[in-house]
Amino acid sequence: MKLGELARKHGTDKLSHGYINYYDKYFNQLDIKNLLEIGVREGWSLKMWSEYLPSSNIYGIDNFIDIAVRNVDKEKLISSLETDKIKICVGDQTDEKFLTEFKDKNLDVIIDDGSHRMHHQQLSFINLFPMLNSGGIYVIEDLHTCNNQNYWDPNYKNEKWTTLNFLNRLKTGEFDSPHLKDENQINKIVKDIDNIEIHINKIAFISKKQKTT
């Protein structure tokens, strides 16, 4: 079944947002064994990825902070989603200690479809991009939230610090985020980026360089 059909089958909004064709393009170039997605909700896209990549391990991150509002039982939801290929990890996408759990997962793809808040997106990228396998892809969805000040960093409430502007600067080799000042870490991230492509100002694909032997 094609990815678009699977998106419709499982009810993920990746279809209505217009992301599916881009995922098809990039994922066809990869041998994906391990995929991590930030943002579980009801597990729609995790189910889609699991069926689309039947030989892959799928990891989902969520803090489930709004689950009571949604009147959903967290434990029942997690148990209904987990299989031998899908694993749900409860934690915060900005918690550096929690994210180190994924250091040895050999991640080929990381997708941020989490809170869409500027500081969350940038902190997750700073912590997780170095864990991505050589030649892997880091995806940030829903960048149109950069136009909504409710999603801006409360400590840096300025258009300059939106994730979209951060990525556009990064495309030129300029790393400028208030969330990382360590020059060694910055240089490593910049050096490891092969390419950044932003589509419809809503979704970014950041490719990591292949290691040369």
Side-chain angles (χ1 to χ4, degrees), residues 78 88 168 197 206:
I78 291 173
I88 308 299
N168 279 318
E197 294 187 343
I206 306 152

Side-chain angles (χ1 to χ4, degrees), residues 26-178:
Y26 289 94
F27 283 14
N28 280 334
Q29 303 168 19
L30 293 177
D31 177 17
I32 301 171
K33 294 183 174 65
N34 298 289
L35 179 150
L36 168 67
E37 180 156 22
I38 302 168
V40 171
R41 291 288 297 183
E42 269 65 39
W44 304 302
S45 54
L46 297 184
K47 292 176 183 177
M48 176 187 73
W49 295 131
S50 185
E51 192 168 348
Y52 183 65
L53 304 165
S55 300
S56 303
N57 297 308
I58 311 296
Y59 300 95
I61 289 177
D62 207 306
N63 59 14
F64 296 103
I65 198 167
D66 65 341
I67 201 156
V69 177
R70 287 153 49 202
N71 197 28
V72 176
D73 183 294
K74 182 176 73 174
E75 301 307 321
K76 284 184 179 179
L77 173 63
I78 291 173
S79 64
S80 72
L81 292 175
E82 289 197 317
T83 66
D84 59 334
K85 292 296 182 182
I86 297 176
K87 171 69 176 173
I88 308 299
C89 305
V90 180
D92 193 301
Q93 72 176 103
T94 65
D95 183 341
E96 184 176 357
K97 184 178 179 181
F98 165 65
L99 295 178
T100 58
E101 294 181 18
F102 301 95
K103 192 172 183 179
D104 299 318
K105 299 298 186 186
N106 292 314
L107 298 170
D108 302 299
V109 172
I110 300 171
I111 301 168
D112 185 348
D113 187 19
S115 74
H116 311 316
R117 298 187 181 280
M118 305 299 103
H119 52 305
H120 292 182
Q121 290 173 336
Q122 292 172 42
L123 283 166
S124 296
F125 174 75
I126 287 164
N127 286 308
L128 287 171
F129 184 77
M131 301 180 198
L132 191 64
N133 281 347
S134 154
I137 290 179
Y138 194 104
V139 185
I140 304 177
E141 291 190 5
D142 297 338
L143 290 167
H144 51 286
T145 57
C146 294
N147 299 318
N148 185 337
Q149 293 190 26
N150 291 325
Y151 289 87
W152 288 9
D153 188 330
N155 297 315
Y156 300 92
K157 212 167 180 65
N158 185 305
E159 187 176 5
K160 175 183 178 181
W161 303 116
T162 65
T163 302
L164 192 55
N165 284 331
F166 163 70
L167 291 172
N168 279 318
R169 290 192 297 270
L170 197 54
K171 285 175 73 173
T172 69
E174 178 190 1
F175 189 106
D176 191 9
S177 167

